[in-house]
Amino acid sequence: MSQRAIPYMQFRGGSSKGLFFLAGDLPADEAARNQLLLSALGRDGRQIDGLGGGNPLTSKAAIVSLSSRDDADIDYLFVQVVVGENRVDTTANCGNILAGVGPFAVEAGLVPVSSAETRVRVHMRNSGKVCELVLQTPQGAMTYCGDARIDGVPGTSAAVICNYDDVAGSACGSLLPTGNVVDVVDGIEMTCVDNGMPVVVMRAADLGISGYETPEQLNGNEALKARLQKIRLQIGPKMNLGDVDGAAVPKMCMISAPSHGGAINTRTFIPYQCHDAVGVLGAVSVATACILPNSVAQNITQLGEGNPLQLSVEHPSGEFSVSLAIDYSAELPRVTQAGLLRTARLLSHGDLYIAEAC
């Protein structure tokens, strides 16, 4: 069996990790590129013959190149390998992997280091939106050492600040893709929001749970999972997502009152398993639901004051802090920028090998 070498880097970005590639090192043809990524990460559920970890959070890829846009430095395409299904999904963004895109661009020589902090504007090809990353680059190089801490990741690292510019409608075309603040499916009220990530927000109590169960408990609740899937299949087309059977979005998020001083507590299915945390852009969409008048979150959320507004989104392994700059001049509040703290670390750098036919 002959093998083909492909240059790559592997980063932990936020609470995920993935393989990072220069676009020029991959096939230009989309189908051929996707087949290569499946081989690189692994096609079966264990991903035993690839570099994926057998988990959606570790089965991700980023494809990066210089951008031709005036408002961006680089282009970034996120690719999710759907574990065990031998296919990829490029529908949604991934804010965790995005945190590694800036460091990758510096390490790969795509962008120069400017000062103690380097700002990299990233065009997210999945959504067409732009995010500014603020990287720590003292002494003219990337550093991964620092005192920033995020839940779901051990230890501390250098901060990566992610400032998202007006990401409403990233996948669905509008902030409220159904046109409503509240929809009802199978008797369950929900607020459907796409502020960087399509999320269906529902009250946990309406689904017969407390919202404080462990992910293991919820993943063992087959009746709940079947009910969520039935709702998901009905609301997906109404969110302009078409048939969402097997798709990565929308995320299904059940909310309850905060228990650790935050703004809201969450349990999120991404898409069919309840995860230990809430995704980066998922947290932005949930936080946005919290500020919408008459949403399902209105009487549950504990909101502070100020603009930008600081919200702590609680999840099973901790919390996710979101800063929302809000324009209150329209009928509904509009988030003009969302700021989040992430960290990233370079894990490996070299060539991976793709098996070719004998």
Side-chain angles (χ1 to χ4, degrees):
M1 179 182 292
S2 61
Q3 299 210 94
R4 175 185 174 189
I6 307 292
Y8 85 108
M9 297 185 203
Q10 184 181 47
F11 279 83
R12 174 188 60 76
S15 54
S16 295
K17 65 180 178 180
L19 306 184
F20 288 65
F21 301 92
L22 291 172
D25 291 330
L26 300 179
D29 177 75
E30 181 179 339
R33 179 202 71 199
N34 291 345
Q35 289 303 309
L36 186 149
L37 292 175
L38 286 167
S39 295
L41 283 138
R43 297 174 179 273
D44 69 319
R46 293 186 300 156
Q47 296 184 316
I48 195 66
D49 200 37
L51 296 183
N55 184 291
L57 298 182
T58 60
S59 303
K60 302 182 176 187
I63 302 172
V64 181
S65 62
L66 287 173
S67 181
S68 60
R69 291 174 52 134
D70 293 335
D71 61 348
D73 301 305
I74 61 174
D75 289 344
Y76 151 56
L77 179 71
F78 169 66
V79 182
Q80 175 74 63
V81 170
V82 183
V83 178
E85 296 187 19
N86 196 29
R87 64 182 180 88
V88 305
D89 191 336
T90 57
T91 306
N93 286 317
C94 178
N96 276 307
I97 292 298
L98 173 65
V101 168
F104 173 78
V106 171
E107 299 281 9
L110 293 180
V111 296
V113 171
S114 56
S115 61
E117 286 188 340
T118 296
R119 295 174 181 266
V120 181
R121 290 186 62 81
V122 180
H123 164 225
M124 299 173 287
R125 289 175 55 198
N126 304 73
S127 64
K129 303 295 185 177
V130 173
C131 179
E132 179 188 64
L133 303 178
V134 183
L135 312 177
Q136 307 308 305
T137 53
Q139 301 177 350
M142 275 299 311
T143 183
Y144 301 101
C145 295
D147 57 7
R149 183 186 302 274
I150 61 174
D151 287 323
V153 177
T156 63
S157 302
V160 177
I161 305 301
C162 308
N163 294 318
Y164 291 91
D165 296 340
D166 193 10
V167 290
S170 61
C172 303
S174 60
L175 178 69
L176 297 174
T178 67
N180 306 314
V181 174
V182 174
D183 290 277
V184 180
V185 176
D186 290 350
I188 303 297
E189 290 187 332
M190 60 198 66
T191 296
C192 302
V193 178
D194 177 8
N195 203 16
M197 179 67 67
V199 177
V200 179
V201 182
M202 300 163 287
R203 290 180 287 258
D206 291 347
L207 288 153
I209 64 171
S210 69
Y212 307 106
E213 292 86 353
T214 65
E216 292 76 17
Q217 289 172 324
L218 295 178
N219 286 328
N221 189 335
E222 296 299 332
L224 173 66
K225 291 196 292 185
R227 194 174 184 188
L228 288 175
Q229 176 64 351
K230 186 180 177 185
I231 292 171
R232 193 170 181 270
L233 292 176
Q234 293 177 74
I235 199 64
K238 296 178 181 179
M239 296 177 69
N240 301 316
L241 293 171
D243 183 359
V244 297
D245 190 19
V249 291
K251 316 300 187 188
M252 307 295 282
C253 183
M254 294 167 289
I255 59 170
S256 53
S259 58
H260 298 288
I264 199 76
N265 180 60
T266 63
R267 293 294 185 269
T268 307
F269 279 73
I270 313 175
Y272 303 124
Q273 295 292 310
C274 183
H275 279 229
D276 290 333
V278 63
V280 174
L281 292 166
V284 173
S285 287
V286 172
T288 302
C290 292
I291 68 168
L292 293 177
N294 303 314
S295 77
V296 297
Q298 184 178 47
N299 295 325
I300 299 176
T301 305
Q302 300 296 317
L303 291 179
E305 297 180 350
N307 194 0
L309 181 64
Q310 309 298 320
L311 296 95
S312 172
V313 179
E314 298 177 2
H315 54 78
S317 57
E319 67 86 35
F320 202 124
S321 296
V322 179
S323 175
L324 300 181
I326 306 168
D327 178 2
Y328 290 101
S329 63
E331 181 180 355
L332 289 175
R334 184 175 72 88
V335 176
T336 57
Q337 187 178 76
L340 306 112
L341 169 67
R342 295 280 83 189
T343 65
R345 188 169 75 85
L346 176 62
L347 302 178
S348 64
H349 182 192
D351 291 335
L352 60 82
Y353 291 88
I354 302 298
E356 297 184 325
C358 296

